[in-house]
Amino acid sequence: MQNLLDFLKDKTEIAVKKLFGEKILEGHPEIFSDITQATQEKFGHYQCNSSLKLAKLLKKNPRQIAEELKEQFLADGGCFESVEIAGPGFINLTLSNDFLESEINSQLQDSRLGVAKVKKDRVVVEFSSPNIAKELHVGHLRSTIIGESLARLMEFLGHDVLRLNHVGDWGTQFGMLIAYLKKFHEDVLEGNEDAELSELMHWYKESKKLFDEDSVFKASAQREVVDLQAHSPVSLKAWKKICEISRKAFHEIYDLLDVSLQERGESFYNPMLPEIVSDLEKKQLIVEDQGARCVFLEGFEGKEGKPLPVIVQKSDGGYNYSTTDLAALRQRAQEEAAQRVIYVVDAGQSLHFQMIYATAEKAGFYDPMVTKPEHVAFGVVLGSDGKKFKTRSGETEKLIDLLKKAVKKAKAILEERLPDLAGAELEEAAQTLGIDAVKYADLSCHRLKDYVFSYDRMLKFEGNTAAFLLYAYVRINSIEKKSDKSIKELLKTEKIKLNNPTEMSLAVHLRRFGESLEVVDRELLPNRLSDYLYHLAEKFHAFFRDCQVVGSKEENSRLLLCELTRKILKKGLYILGLKTLEKM
Ligand code: ARG
């Protein structure tokens, strides 16, 4: 189904052409596309601003043009209840009851819930991207939650999505770690003994200490780096073992978060790095600076106007984080044929990405007319003290502990509300509520802002929270159960009728589901969808307050309106990455 917004744009285009000739819109697509949702319900449903732009183009009075457009809208069938001119020439459009009824009934029967498939792009969504031998932290949590949601959204809209985990799995730190394990934990490397990520991190710290203190160890660590880079089988085996231990810990978190993504770590791009540097060299973009090979670009300056380099090869011949990112962008543009490459990475790396995009463009690694790299940046998570989120011991909170704590708190709440719930059912419900709460708290604030992490706030049942939305969903389910009618049968025989203003208001909002998803697709802001769902729940509650469902003479129609609300709520929550509950 087409969005109402697109439907009205088409109508405006027809009206404009009819009034001012076919040619008028050539080169001025903005004229007919200037339609927005009304800012307040009292102004109607949509607002058309084309007359003001046409007036400029035709050097005519905008109100006069608005009058002419109004005539066309009114002459064009019965989809409008009223068309009114306001201010300097805005046109307020109010859709008619009949029209909305037919729209909402088509949406109810549509397997895509009225959401049109948009143009199918090949989209790479890179998210999560933790580092091997290090614990995931809350910064990675944000990337994981936001990335999963954007990937789900794009998949639903019909894009061809490749989800990638750009794991930090290569670098000189592996030399220290391998040397250390060879010396003290041969059994782990041999696979005769299991190890946890926390142990690995401990060994990593120890190996660093040793590296600084012990020159013999230092030399052995440096030898390991050389061996690993030369792909010696023994070193590769040790490296793989280290990655495997880390991966196990990452997947425990991904499972809990219901996240799926394909690991394609930095090491994947290793074979491409020499060519990246030689290509940059050929394009004469490389400048040597104290032995390191750098690219300097106009517009990137540090303190006191000093030009900032992208260092692509260090003086010891090693490659950098940036070199890998250049290779990754080129590979995604050229081999993956991506039209969009989305990087869900903290805002602290914004400058890095700007420099990567600019360098890659200059080097011809991607064509900006074909591929669009987009940095989906986000702010930091704060503790209640307003400082960067830390646990009491001062260590950055371990992600798995933080998630488990949310589940535990959710369990306590559910036990109090539903004393009958127990066993596996309780555990499952607690996991859903706890994880949903964490995810929603993150997604519902504008991602560029920092937010304060608070279990109490995220688990509240009032306000813009996961619990509030889940509760609306549970409520609809129980209404449907309370009625002795079968929704399945009603869907075959009955239709939604809109009689009450709160029914109308709910219906218009339901019909705008696709419009709100398209906004997220464009702006990559999941909070636009959470806002939509929050308003949906509010509108549902208003409808339910004003309109009796079970036992009323409009029961059939109202049950169907409940059903459409239920489906859209469920799909919207799914896109955010949330599961629903049956009871709460
Ligand atoms: N591993 C990095 C970190 O933990 C994030 C990687 C971001 N992605 C990229 N293509 N550079 O900070």
Side-chain angles (χ1 to χ4, degrees), residues 439-502:
K439 287 185 171 182
Y440 193 84
D442 193 303
L443 295 167
S444 59
C445 67
H446 192 293
R447 62 173 162 76
L448 285 170
K449 291 205 182 115
D450 300 344
Y451 79 94
V452 177
F453 192 93
S454 154
Y455 290 110
D456 291 337
R457 180 139 32 88
M458 66 179 66
L459 283 161
K460 276 212 170 93
F461 276 61
E462 309 88 41
N464 191 6
T465 64
F468 179 73
L469 294 183
L470 293 181
Y471 186 65
Y473 182 79
V474 167
R475 205 162 168 199
I476 301 173
N477 266 331
S478 79
I479 296 167
E480 290 186 0
K481 272 193 210 119
K482 220 166 106 193
S483 160
D484 49 18
K485 310 215 167 165
S486 143
I487 300 286
K488 230 172 147 184
E489 286 308 311
L490 292 182
L491 279 167
K492 282 187 213 147
T493 52
E494 296 294 321
K495 289 221 142 57
I496 296 175
K497 292 189 193 70
L498 304 169
N499 298 316
N500 188 286
T502 55

Side-chain angles (χ1 to χ4, degrees), residues 126 128-131 137 140 166-169 266 321 324-325 328 332 343-346 349 352-353:
E126 187 217 276
S128 197
S129 310
N131 301 312
H137 55 69
H140 294 121
H166 192 78
V167 173
D169 64 356
E266 295 182 15
Y321 185 56
T324 303
D325 264 326
R332 291 164 187 179
Y343 296 79
V344 189
V345 185
D346 66 85
Q349 300 196 34
H352 163 75
F353 284 113

Side-chain angles (χ1 to χ4, degrees), residues 276-300:
I276 291 291
V277 176
S278 67
D279 254 23
L280 291 167
E281 204 127 68
K282 266 185 232 147
K283 305 222 161 85
Q284 294 179 330
L285 291 167
I286 297 276
V287 175
E288 265 197 40
D289 191 19
Q290 294 160 43
R293 300 166 121 177
C294 309
V295 179
F296 289 95
L297 292 176
E298 231 173 273
F300 293 104

Side-chain angles (χ1 to χ4, degrees), residues 509-558:
H509 196 69
L510 286 167
R511 191 61 194 90
R512 285 176 172 168
F513 183 46
E515 282 169 34
S516 84
L517 295 184
E518 282 186 22
V519 172
V520 185
D521 185 43
R522 257 197 324 272
E523 301 180 348
L524 304 175
L525 291 173
N527 64 306
R528 299 271 192 255
L529 175 56
S530 66
D531 283 348
Y532 170 86
L533 295 174
Y534 178 52
H535 290 133
L536 179 61
E538 283 191 320
K539 282 176 191 290
F540 177 77
H541 290 315
F543 150 74
F544 194 61
R545 180 197 60 216
D546 291 358
C547 302
Q548 189 191 346
V549 180
V550 179
S552 70
K553 70 176 190 327
E554 297 92 349
E555 179 166 345
N556 291 347
S557 155
R558 288 181 178 164

Side-chain angles (χ1 to χ4, degrees), residues 232-246:
S232 103
V234 181
S235 307
L236 274 185
K237 191 176 155 201
W239 169 72
K240 277 192 186 140
K241 187 76 208 167
I242 293 168
C243 291
E244 197 184 292
I245 296 168
S246 305

